[in-house]
Amino acid sequence: MTGLQDTIPDGFEPVFHMGFNARVGPVLRRLETNTKGEQYIFDVRPEHLNGAGFVHGGMLMALCDIILGRTVSLAAGMRCTTVSLNCDFLAPGKRGDRIEGTAAVTRKTRSVVFVSGHLVVNRPDEDESLLMTATGVWKILNDKTAAP
Amino acid sequence: MRDRNRTGIDVPSHNTVPIPDGYVVAPLSDPFEQFMGPVFCEPAPDGSPRLDGRMAFRVAEHHMNAGDVCHGGMLTTFADAVLGAHAWSACRPKNCVTLSMQTQFIRPARIGDLVECTPELTRATRAVLFVRGAAHVGDALIFTATSVWKIIGEA
């Protein structure tokens, strides 16, 4: 399997690939819309691991911040900022995993957006593994700046 | 310029980042923490780095988001490193893993800011640790975080 760092598969686009996202990513969003929410993929590389050889907890939370945040900004059409992010660690991610993320808006008001999502991995010869569930609240920045 | 760390993973060189007054470089062993670092910690009385206390990082280009402030993912990564090091110190010689973390983003951190986080053990049971922390830039509160950690091998 070719790494996402080398080749972007057809039907995907990178999520704001600059700064922090460029350092850890790419995180790719599926262009085709899905009733379950926005869908994303991310490849685990050696630099994403902790000393025990699993994906660092900070990396999994960062991935949730990226995919929930992108889902929010698409729904709001404006720049948004994270107010609160809650993550539960259900199972460890491993070296070489391709993590699939899904996120959907729960409620959007004039000024805030509620969003939830989860990360899963499908490994060969194993049942799908749910790694993380996350919920968050984002503030819509009413500064007339379009979402990046 | 890039360094080879002892895990053999190619990480960016952090040699050019000045060490803030009152801190030493935290000897973090997790490749991801080295990749996003450097992270600084306070020295013990004998000058050795202590991983159970206050830690800090300086916001740099590779921490920025689309709004040109520090990425929430970097702040959660830093929170996980600081609260995790505190939990790890509290459960020695056993190990622990993150079960849950909740982060509230109070104010943005900007490039060049020194973000300092002080962790606190809220409660330790036989199998579970509760750890919280607050991070500041100067006197301004940046984020608060609470977390739950499972001590491996304890039921």
Side-chain angles (χ1 to χ4, degrees), chain A:
Chain A
M1 186 163 65
T2 311
L4 299 178
Q5 217 181 1
D6 310 310
T7 311
I8 296 174
D10 285 345
F12 287 88
E13 66 169 11
V15 177
F16 183 71
H17 196 61
M18 288 178 71
F20 183 84
N21 290 10
R23 174 68 74 99
V24 302
V27 178
L28 302 183
R29 185 179 74 91
R30 192 186 293 275
L31 292 166
E32 182 189 337
T33 53
N34 185 301
T35 52
K36 286 187 281 187
E38 300 292 338
Q39 297 191 310
Y40 302 84
I41 54 174
F42 172 80
D43 277 354
V44 175
R45 301 194 302 269
E47 59 265 32
H48 300 134
L49 304 178
N50 63 22
F54 297 115
V55 180
H56 194 281
M59 181 62 234
L60 289 180
M61 290 191 286
L63 188 54
C64 282
D65 191 50
I66 292 168
I67 72 170
L68 269 58
R70 182 62 183 143
T71 302
V72 165
S73 70
L74 284 167
M78 309 253 264
R79 280 208 308 125
C80 300
T81 189
T82 322
V83 175
S84 162
L85 181 66
N86 306 315
C87 296
D88 288 339
F89 295 72
L90 283 76
K94 297 176 183 170
R95 187 182 186 122
D97 278 349
R98 175 162 289 180
I99 297 177
E100 300 168 40
T102 304
V105 168
T106 316
R107 182 172 184 227
K108 175 178 171 292
T109 75
R110 195 160 45 92
S111 58
V112 297
V113 180
F114 298 83
V115 62
S116 69
H118 60 267
L119 306 176
V120 302
V121 172
N122 285 286
R123 302 188 183 99
D125 308 319
E126 285 182 33
D127 289 339
E128 181 175 87
S129 180
L130 182 60
L131 304 189
M132 176 169 275
T133 57
T135 60
V137 180
W138 263 254
K139 174 76 176 68
I140 301 172
L141 298 172
N142 291 306
D143 59 1
K144 313 283 190 244
T145 314

Side-chain angles (χ1 to χ4, degrees), chain B:
Chain B
M1 196 176 119
R2 297 173 84 85
D3 291 334
R4 281 271 162 192
N5 65 23
R6 62 188 170 81
T7 55
I9 289 161
D10 197 24
V11 298
S13 172
H14 300 308
N15 295 341
T16 55
V17 180
I19 298 170
D21 285 347
Y23 284 100
V24 294
V25 174
L28 300 175
S29 58
D30 286 358
F32 186 64
E33 291 169 10
Q34 297 175 2
F35 186 60
M36 296 314 302
V39 173
F40 306 102
C41 65
E42 293 183 304
D46 68 357
S48 64
R50 50 177 291 188
L51 289 176
D52 62 341
R54 186 167 63 174
M55 292 195 195
F57 80 100
R58 181 83 66 186
V59 180
E61 284 292 345
H62 66 276
H63 301 138
M64 305 307 272
N65 69 11
D68 222 21
V69 296
C70 185
H71 199 291
M74 181 57 205
L75 296 177
T76 54
T77 295
F78 178 58
D80 193 57
V82 179
L83 274 53
H86 196 72
W88 187 83
S89 302
C91 74
R92 292 285 83 197
K94 295 185 186 300
N95 279 311
C96 59
V97 294
T98 327
L99 287 185
S100 175
M101 183 172 287
Q102 301 77 38
T103 313
Q104 294 78 44
F105 301 87
I106 314 289
R107 277 187 191 82
R110 300 179 193 286
I111 194 152
D113 282 351
L114 184 71
V115 182
E116 301 177 283
C117 180
T118 305
E120 184 186 353
L121 186 65
T122 316
R123 188 180 177 218
T125 73
R126 192 160 42 96
V128 173
L129 301 169
F130 299 84
V131 184
R132 64 185 171 189
H136 294 78
V137 171
D139 291 331
L141 183 62
I142 300 299
F143 71 76
T144 58
T146 58
S147 62
V148 182
W149 301 76
K150 175 71 177 63
I151 300 175
I152 297 168
E154 293 289 342

